[in-house]
Structures are given as structure tokens and as C-alpha cells.
Amino acid sequence: MAIWERCRAWVFQLLFFVLVWWVVQWLYTQKLLDVGETLPAFELVTLEQEVVSSDSLRGRPTLLYFFAPWCGVCHFSIDAVDDLKLSNPNLNVIAVALDYQSTTEVDEFIAQHDLTIPVVLGDRAMANAYKITAFPTYYTIDSAGIVVSKDMGVTTSAGLLARTWLAKQ
């Protein structure tokens, strides 16, 4: 009986932790762009000086992944983002670098993860327009440029697939 009591206490603590984490996560995402909102316009460049604009993304669903090179969670999740593009060629996947000191930091992040997705250099104006307050932040956009999902923090390949599935509907 003592084992059951200890297990029960542990399960309740775990459930409480998960509930608190979910509530905090939900509260943070309430500050992001609203689902159903039109994608704010942008025109940014990659490290290779290629221009990527919000207009160039129309016609296909898009995952926008906002990251900072110093962010540990970003290092953990970026490989799933890159793999998503490899497994979904009809999906635009764009990583937006924010909160970096130099482009060298961004270049090192890209090299460390051997990224195949385009990485654009974001700025404070874009961070404000997209209401980015934490990293990583994800927006899934449908082919018409409408936000269909939003999230921040840790994610998995399955979580990304679910978000992008919404954009295809």
C-alpha cells in the first residue's frame, strides 16, 4: 500500500506540474498574433543576401520559426524544423534569426545544425510586428497568408507536423 501512496503522490505532482506548464504556455501565447490574423508584411535578407518577403510565401503553407542563436531550446528544436522541410517539399519553412549580436553568431548556428532551410536576418521591427517575446516562437500560416496556429517553446517533429497540417486544411 505504501508504494501506491507514493506513486499516487508522484502522479498528482506530475499532473499539477503539467497543468501549471500548460497554463503558463497558454498565457504566453495569448500575447502573440491572433489565429485568423493576416501575416504582417516583411522583406528580409538571408546571409547570402537573398530577399525573402511575405509576398513570396503566398500560395503555399508556411512555418515561420523565430529563434535566437544563444537560445538552448532553439538548439534543441531547430533540427525538427529542418527535417520538417525535408519531409514536406510543398511547405515553406523559414527560420528568422532575432536577438543576435553579429551575423557570425547566426552563421555558426546554421553551420552547427547543418541547416537546409532559409534563415533570414530579422530585426526589432519584425520582432515587434510578430509580437515575439520568447524563443523559439512558431507561426503556421496558410497559403492565403492567414495565421492558423501559434506556439512557443519546446516542440517535437510530431507537434510541427500537427501545426502544419492545420495550414493545409
Side-chain angles (χ1 to χ4, degrees), residues 20-111:
V20 168
W21 178 83
W22 182 82
V23 168
V24 168
Q25 194 76 357
W26 179 81
L27 287 171
Y28 274 116
T29 61
Q30 297 310 298
K31 298 175 184 176
L32 297 174
L33 297 175
D34 291 328
V35 170
E37 195 169 332
T38 301
L39 178 72
F42 69 85
E43 189 171 286
L44 300 170
V45 295
T46 66
L47 289 171
E48 296 79 24
Q49 300 305 308
E50 296 172 12
V51 175
V52 176
S53 70
S54 51
D55 288 340
S56 70
L57 303 177
R58 301 241 181 205
R60 292 184 2 199
T62 300
L63 177 74
L64 288 178
Y65 173 83
F66 295 88
F67 74 97
W70 50 261
C71 167
V73 175
C74 300
H75 281 277
F76 179 75
S77 63
I78 190 66
D79 293 327
V81 175
D82 200 51
D83 290 345
L84 178 70
K85 175 58 180 167
L86 294 173
S87 64
N88 293 283
N90 193 40
L91 178 70
N92 292 315
V93 179
I94 308 293
V96 181
L98 295 172
D99 201 24
Y100 54 90
Q101 299 298 315
S102 70
T103 56
T104 303
E105 279 182 275
V106 178
D107 219 4
E108 289 170 356
F109 184 91
I110 293 168

Side-chain angles (χ1 to χ4, degrees), residues 111-166:
Q112 181 178 353
H113 296 282
D114 197 26
L115 296 180
T116 61
I117 58 174
V119 176
V120 296
L121 300 172
D123 53 21
R124 179 61 28 213
M126 185 172 198
N128 290 339
Y130 282 78
K131 302 179 181 180
I132 306 300
T133 60
F135 299 106
T137 296
Y138 312 83
Y139 283 108
T140 307
I141 315 300
D142 70 10
S143 59
I146 306 298
V147 176
V148 295
S149 75
K150 59 185 179 177
D151 208 351
M152 60 177 46
V154 176
T155 193
T156 62
S157 294
L160 289 170
L161 281 172
R163 286 180 191 92
T164 55
W165 179 81
L166 288 171

